[in-house]
Amino acid sequence: DVQLLESGGALVHPGGSLRLSCAASGFTFNNYAMTWVRQARGAGLEWVASMSASGDKTYYADSVRGRFIISRDNVKNTLFLHMNNLRGEDTAVYFCAKDVDPDDYGLFDYWGQGTLVTVSS
Amino acid sequence: DIQMTQSPSSLSASVGDTVTITCRASQSIDSYLNWYQQKPGKGPKLLMFATSNLQSGVPSRFSGSGSGTLFTLTITSLQPEDFATYFCQHSFLNPWTFGQGTKVEI
């Protein structure tokens, strides 16, 4: 079975940094693009960033471009989100999701349970 | 960016009812419209892709239709496990955007 397990969420001060991880299993990780999507409490879903299967292409939402970096380790089957200069509006549950395609097709067939990031002083 | 607008934001229904959720795109997205179901404390689950294609394992009481800018998700004979929040999402071009969600409750 496909499993995606996020970790790394925490309480962090504004301006701080955090690294999220998503451990993947049950599929050939290096064959699929991967994505981060976030959800503020009681709110909708917001696409954050995606990376192609090989890692040669990255895509970012305007709200995080220049502050967040998506990366992956295709040997350890793990997706990362490096978050810098965090703001209050970054407070959310962060989900990793598997794309159906090696490139960023925008269709997500499996999701993790999420990890909570809280940005507050 | 393409804006996705869902209606209603919530609805009350009973087991056995038929419910319809509407999703409107701010510009044409052909048939690149997907639906997800989310239950409290869980990640979303893909229900339907490309407007009307059921994801593997999803019951046939779920159906989708539409094209261009207007789409619907219909659930016939609502079951207890269907009470959840439903999101539409376009996969026409990046950035991918979602509707604000429709909560189906008793």
Side-chain angles (χ1 to χ4, degrees), chain A residues 39-82:
Chain A
Q39 184 173 37
R41 186 178 179 87
L45 299 164
E46 180 188 14
W47 170 78
V48 173
S50 296
M51 174 169 263
S52 62
S54 64
D56 62 336
K57 298 176 199 171
T58 57
Y59 310 86
Y60 295 95
D62 287 345
S63 57
V64 306
R65 186 176 292 111
R67 299 187 300 123
F68 291 10
I69 299 172
I70 188 172
S71 65
R72 62 193 294 161
D73 184 332
N74 282 350
V75 173
K76 295 184 177 179
N77 293 346
T78 304
L79 178 73
F80 301 100
L81 186 67
H82 308 260

Side-chain angles (χ1 to χ4, degrees), chain A residues 39 47 104 106 108 111-113, chain B residues 36 38 42-44 89 94 96:
Chain A
Q39 184 173 37
W47 170 78
D104 180 36
F108 314 119
W111 298 61
Q113 301 269 56
Chain B
Y36 299 87
Q38 186 180 32
K42 304 286 189 181
Q89 175 242 340
N94 194 295
W96 320 120

